[in-house]
Amino acid sequence: MSRPRAKLKDNFPGCPVESTLCYLDGKWKGVILYHLLSEGTLRFNALRRHIPSVTQRMLTKQLRELEDAGLISRTVFPIVPPRVDYSLTALGQSMAPVISALKSWGEAHVVCKDGIKTLAVPADRVTTLAAAE
């Protein structure tokens, strides 16, 4: 069985794209980074409200992996009830152009209707296809 890309980060053949993707690998990491970039510091339950389809266990796992990578910081306040804040580190802030590019591409090319995601064909591509017929 092959190992997940996140586990192979020390053995890449020099590809910077694959190296970067290993830190975004995971269904929710990019979404977590997006919300922390746009909202700033968030508490655990605030992140859960922003991402309602993620389970508590998976959110915790993804947050730990992002923290281990140095992209986010976790601040625990010694109060009752416990309070934990998550924020981007300087390294995490440097991912802003990457996350912004993913957001822009999604807005331009992905259509979500009735919970179904489809890729939209750009208008200039439709013109090219029509002319070819």
Side-chain angles (χ1 to χ4, degrees):
M1 181 174 179
S2 66
R3 295 188 309 174
R5 184 182 2 232
K7 305 290 185 203
L8 298 173
K9 60 185 168 212
D10 297 327
N11 300 317
F12 287 119
C15 177
V17 173
E18 195 167 10
S19 298
T20 303
L21 284 175
C22 82
Y23 295 102
L24 292 176
D25 199 19
K27 186 173 183 177
W28 304 108
K29 287 181 185 174
V31 179
I32 292 167
L33 291 173
Y34 168 75
H35 287 298
L36 289 174
L37 276 166
S38 59
E39 303 283 327
T41 301
L42 290 172
R43 293 172 72 174
F44 183 85
N45 282 329
L47 280 167
R48 283 207 58 200
R49 282 191 294 277
H50 283 296
I51 315 168
S53 48
V54 68
T55 64
Q56 182 172 340
R57 180 177 181 219
M58 182 55 69
L59 181 58
T60 299
K61 180 179 184 280
Q62 300 279 278
L63 286 166
R64 284 184 184 151
E65 289 177 10
L66 288 167
E67 184 182 10
D68 289 345
L71 296 174
I72 65 171
S73 65
R74 179 178 184 257
T75 306
V76 180
F77 295 92
I79 59 173
V80 177
R83 177 179 158 198
V84 179
D85 285 349
Y86 293 93
S87 59
L88 292 172
T89 62
L91 186 61
Q93 289 284 346
S94 71
M95 290 289 257
V98 176
I99 301 300
S100 177
L102 289 170
K103 178 181 181 262
S104 297
W105 189 90
E107 289 172 342
H109 300 289
V110 180
V111 176
C112 297
K113 186 175 181 181
D114 299 326
I116 299 171
K117 295 178 194 144
T118 55
L119 287 177
V121 178
D124 61 336
R125 180 80 173 133
V126 172
T127 306
T128 306
L129 290 173
E133 294 176 352

